[in-house]
Amino acid sequence: MASTTVAQEDQNQAGRHQEVGHKSLLQSDALYQYILETSVYPREPEPMKELRELTAKHPWNIMTTSADEGQFLTMLLKLINAKKTMEIGVYTGYSLLATALALPEDGQILAMDINRENYELGLPVIEKAGVAHKIEFKEGPALPILDQMVADKKNHGSYDFIFVDADKDNYINYHKRLIDLIKVGGVIGYDNTLWNGSVVAPPDAPMRKYVRYYRDFVLELNKALAADPRIEICMLPVGDGITICRRIN
């Protein structure tokens, strides 16, 4: 009887994950929920919980950084003693808030997004948390801003940490510029590098349109990062996959 139940659960689980594009990369929803309830939610700062729940009501909520990834970013920023950071792709600001809370009082974040309205949805929570003064928000495409920054040599090697969670078709273009702006020993984090698990899916696998569209760009990025001698990398199955790049020269 027990074995039959297990087999049924496995079959049900396989059905839930049949379509490439499932949010959790773990094969077990229950295991992911265990991580959230045991490790993440009990330690999640109240402002982050408030913003997460606010964002969950937004029609584009799939764009938000997952709670476990937010916890990871907080730990990473503290471990590297980051003070000056950049974020490309903000949405409602969950990862931005995680960063702002982790940085020291005089920390700085340059945040860029094409949609100010989404950012302003989460801004009241950020302000209530008392960390809005750490953030400089710029609305519009990031590439022109980055080009201006790279053109000024004083910006080279000036950032401790950069987080990218934006248009996947420009990840390679971002990397070409960010490598100059991050300091030696600094860290760049690229989000969604396992892209809903589609990076290992056969071409004819069922997947959502947006997943299929950006899949090749993510594959191209992963190949380029693995071959870049200027960085050390570590790809982690946290959230939708995050690749940590430490600049070494």
Side-chain angles (χ1 to χ4, degrees):
M1 186 70 175
S3 60
T4 302
T5 302
V6 170
Q8 289 174 342
E9 288 179 354
D10 287 345
Q11 187 175 17
N12 292 337
Q13 192 67 49
R16 282 202 296 273
H17 290 270
Q18 185 175 5
E19 177 187 320
V20 176
H22 189 275
K23 187 173 182 181
S24 173
L25 291 170
L26 292 175
Q27 293 187 15
S28 166
D29 290 336
L31 183 57
Y32 183 58
Q33 195 64 29
Y34 173 82
I35 293 172
L36 293 175
E37 294 179 358
T38 304
S39 171
V40 180
Y41 292 158
R43 294 298 188 99
E44 185 180 35
E46 191 60 34
M48 291 181 64
K49 178 183 179 182
E50 182 179 352
L51 184 51
R52 175 170 56 81
E53 293 177 346
L54 176 69
T55 304
K57 301 173 184 177
H58 193 275
W60 301 343
N61 59 58
I62 195 171
M63 292 171 53
T64 193
T65 301
S66 63
D68 55 323
E69 187 171 358
Q71 185 182 62
F72 168 72
L73 290 174
T74 298
M75 177 71 78
L76 177 61
L77 287 159
K78 292 180 178 180
L79 286 173
I80 66 174
N81 295 313
K83 186 174 181 180
K84 185 177 181 181
T85 74
M86 184 191 304
E87 182 160 334
I88 302 175
V90 173
Y91 186 40
T92 61
Y94 186 79
S95 57
L96 182 63
L97 177 56
T99 300
L101 290 170
L103 295 185
E105 186 63 21
D106 59 345
Q108 303 172 30
I109 312 168
L110 173 59
M112 292 176 270
D113 199 287
I114 59 172
N115 191 319
R116 179 180 289 273
E117 185 179 345
N118 289 337
Y119 167 66
E120 290 182 345
L121 182 67
L123 185 56
V125 180
I126 294 172
E127 291 175 337
K128 187 167 66 172
V131 292
H133 65 282
K134 302 178 185 180
I135 301 168
E136 177 188 3
F137 179 83
K138 292 190 176 184
E139 182 181 20
L143 287 176
I145 299 173
L146 293 176
D147 283 337
Q148 291 179 2
M149 295 176 68
V150 171
D152 189 343
K153 295 290 185 181
K154 72 179 182 182
N155 293 318
H156 288 208
S158 64
Y159 283 84
D160 304 313
F161 177 78
I162 301 172
F163 182 58
V164 184
D165 183 10
D167 43 334
K168 316 310 168 194
D169 44 341
N170 268 318
Y171 268 29
I172 286 285
N173 294 323
Y174 293 141
H175 185 69
K176 291 175 181 177
R177 293 155 174 81
L178 297 179
I179 199 69
D180 288 330
L181 300 175
I182 197 74
K183 71 178 186 182
V184 173
V187 173
I188 306 173
Y190 290 101
D191 200 17
N192 306 112
T193 53
L194 293 178
W195 199 229
N196 294 251
S198 68
V199 291
V200 295
D204 59 347
M207 61 182 78
R208 299 168 190 171
K209 289 183 179 179
Y210 80 94
V211 173
R212 184 178 299 280
Y213 176 78
Y214 288 112
R215 176 176 178 266
D216 287 345
F217 294 109
V218 175
L219 288 169
E220 180 188 13
L221 172 77
N222 291 341
K223 184 177 180 179
L225 294 181
D228 191 337
R230 300 168 295 182
I231 56 175
E232 297 172 330
I233 68 170
C234 178
M235 181 182 285
L236 299 172
V238 176
D240 189 31
I242 180 171
T243 299
I244 301 300
C245 309
R246 178 177 177 269
R247 184 181 172 189
I248 55 176
N249 61 50

